[in-house]
């Protein structure tokens, strides 16, 4: 006689306390495990997922239920993973071809000692936009302007604050930036629409900073200086690369592709192929070196020119050129997967539904939703200190609410960057702040007041939320209609522009 299969446990709807419990546990685990004990972020996220799993089991979810929810979340991230890999390949190919170094080479020469604070912002911003990394911009142009400031006896905190603000300005607006790619993909926003929408908050915040830097520069001593570091960097760039106008072709492909609204990943791939051809034709690199650069990143040891000594290259140049490759994005891919494990489990347990329903009953306006996003992102940044985590968690919490209210996804992606990406450089216990302080030689709390763009961007986001300025709208959408949607919704915000208030 066959035994009847046990009936599946009936899922219970979580109370508000139970729904909040996984979020609180996650913040606690991250605050202690990552910020205090310095445990790897992937393990901390897995621990958070395990804690959420216990709550889900209590609510009647089976492992099969959780696994299915996790698979759905991870499956929807496929487009994001493809773009991340394309960005890694693009940076590696642009670096070995000389496309990025040539833009940085001529960008370095804009330094003007008469307006050093303004120049500190603009120079690091240009390098960050071209390279897609705030760390690389601070580690190169930031070091240059700091050495000039010290030589001229100018304020090091002001110079450092301007350099940090410029580095993160460029990082936010660069299609090569990992956080820019992440914020656009997890919110289903075209990356170029995302960048365009960020101009509403980033430009006025930056202009405010530039005015302050200009005024501050009036009372600072000035004078000409022949920076040995700048001269050395220029010389070594020219030793490594051959400059040619055709090196701008890969950049032109990306710009034209973005203007024509072509899919991002294929455009980046085509640009990378062209850059690889230029690397072999103009720079003289081998077929194997080109593929290694795309896979694992460019290394100056690949240079095989007569009389060139790779061991003599200064660290400031190495920090900028030794980078890129698909493998450089794998840590971020792993962090994304681990974060989606947590997101899938709390979604399966119904915790997000309860929290969002409660939020909708308490917050009646679109401005309230955007301000709530700012508050949640700031809290996660302060506790977790990792922009990746802030972006992913806040996108999971608020994504469906924006859809239901007819708020275009670029409103969410912009807010995540304004209140998540740039704030971590101002929190002393975060990796970004530690790096900036160590690289520039100024304590975080000393340069914080002068990194004006970093803490005024989210204030503009709140202002726009209250006034309705720049808020883009689309047709309201129920959450279940979004399932299976591609990770990059081309033109979503552009479509919302027709209904902009």
């Amino acid at each position: 006689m066959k035994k009847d299969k046990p009936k599946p446990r009936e899922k219970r709807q979580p109370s508000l306390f139970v729904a909040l419990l996984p979020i609180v546990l996650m913040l606690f685990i991250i605050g202690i495990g990552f910020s205090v004990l310095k445990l790897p972020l992937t393990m901390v996220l897995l621990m958070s997922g395990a804690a959420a799993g216990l709550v889900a089991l209590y609510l009647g979810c089976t492992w099969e239920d959780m696994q299915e929810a996790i698979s759905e979340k991870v499956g929807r991230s496929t487009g994001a993973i493809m773009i991340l890999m394309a960005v890694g390949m693009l940076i590696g190919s642009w670096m070995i071809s000389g496309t990025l170094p040539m833009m940085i080479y001529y960008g370095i020469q804009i330094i003007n000692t008469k307006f050093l604070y303004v120049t500190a912002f603009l120079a690091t911003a240009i390098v960050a936009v071209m390279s897609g990394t705030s760390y690389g911009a601070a580690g190169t142009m930031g070091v240059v302007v700091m050495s000039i400031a010290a030589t001229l006896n100018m304020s090091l905190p002001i110079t450092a604050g301007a350099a940090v603000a410029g580095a993160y300005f460029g990082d936010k607006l660069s299609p090569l930036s990992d956080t820019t790619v992440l914020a656009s993909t997890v919110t289903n926003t075209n990356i170029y629409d995302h960048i365009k929408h960020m101009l509403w908050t980033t430009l006025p915040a930056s202009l405010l900073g530039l005015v302050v830097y200009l005024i501050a520069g009036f009372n600072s001593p000035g004078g000409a200086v022949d920076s040995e570091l700048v001269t050395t960097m220029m010389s070594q760039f020219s030793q490594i690369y051959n400059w040619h106008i055709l090196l701008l072709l890969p950049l032109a492909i990306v710009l034209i592709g973005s203007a024509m609204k072509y899919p991002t990943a294929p455009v980046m791939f085509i640009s990378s192929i062209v850059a690889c051809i230029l690397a072999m034709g103009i720079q003289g690199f081998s077929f194997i070196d080109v593929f290694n650069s795309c896979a694992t990143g460019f290394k100056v040891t690949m240079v095989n020119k007569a009389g060139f000594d790779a061991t003599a290259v200064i660290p400031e140049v190495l920090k900028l050129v030794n980078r890129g490759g698909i493998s450089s994005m794998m840590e971020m891919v792993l962090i994304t997967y681990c974060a989606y494990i947590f997101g899938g489990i709390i979604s399966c347990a119904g915790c997000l539904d309860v929290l969002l329903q409660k939020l909708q009953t308490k917050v009646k306006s679109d401005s309230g939703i955007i301000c709530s996003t700012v508050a949640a992102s700031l809290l996660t940044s302060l506790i977790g200190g990792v922009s990746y985590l802030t972006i992913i968690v806040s996108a999971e919490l608020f994504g469906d609410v924006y859809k239901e209210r007819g708020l275009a996804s670029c409103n969410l992606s912009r807010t995540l960057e304004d209140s998540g990406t740039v704030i971590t450089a101002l929190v002393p216990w975060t990796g970004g702040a530690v790096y900036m302080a160590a690289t520039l030689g100024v304590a975080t709390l000393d340069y914080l007041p002068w990194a004006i763009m970093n803490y005024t961007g989210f204030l503009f986001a709140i202002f726009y939320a209250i006034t309705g300025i720049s808020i883009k709208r689309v047709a309201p959408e129920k959450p279940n209609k979004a399932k299976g949607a591609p990770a990059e919704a081309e033109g979503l915000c552009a479509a919302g522009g027709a209904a902009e208030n």
Side-chain angles (χ1 to χ4, degrees), residues 7-11 53 56-69 345 348:
K7 294 182 179 180
R9 294 174 60 188
E10 184 178 350
K11 292 183 183 178
L57 287 174
Y58 167 76
L59 294 171
C61 295
T62 64
W63 168 245
E64 288 74 19
D65 295 331
M66 288 183 274
Q67 189 174 24
E68 182 179 353
I345 292 175
C348 170

Side-chain angles (χ1 to χ4, degrees), residues 110-170:
I110 72 168
I111 292 181
N112 187 324
T113 56
K114 185 177 181 180
F115 303 100
L116 185 60
Y117 303 143
V118 172
T119 302
F121 177 92
L122 295 177
T124 53
I126 290 172
V127 173
V129 168
M130 297 302 181
S131 64
T133 167
S134 56
Y135 282 19
T140 53
M141 288 309 303
V143 173
V144 170
V145 295
M146 290 302 295
S147 66
I148 294 175
T151 303
L152 295 176
N153 197 29
M154 300 179 76
S155 170
L156 297 183
I158 300 179
T159 308
V164 169
Y168 277 88
F169 169 90

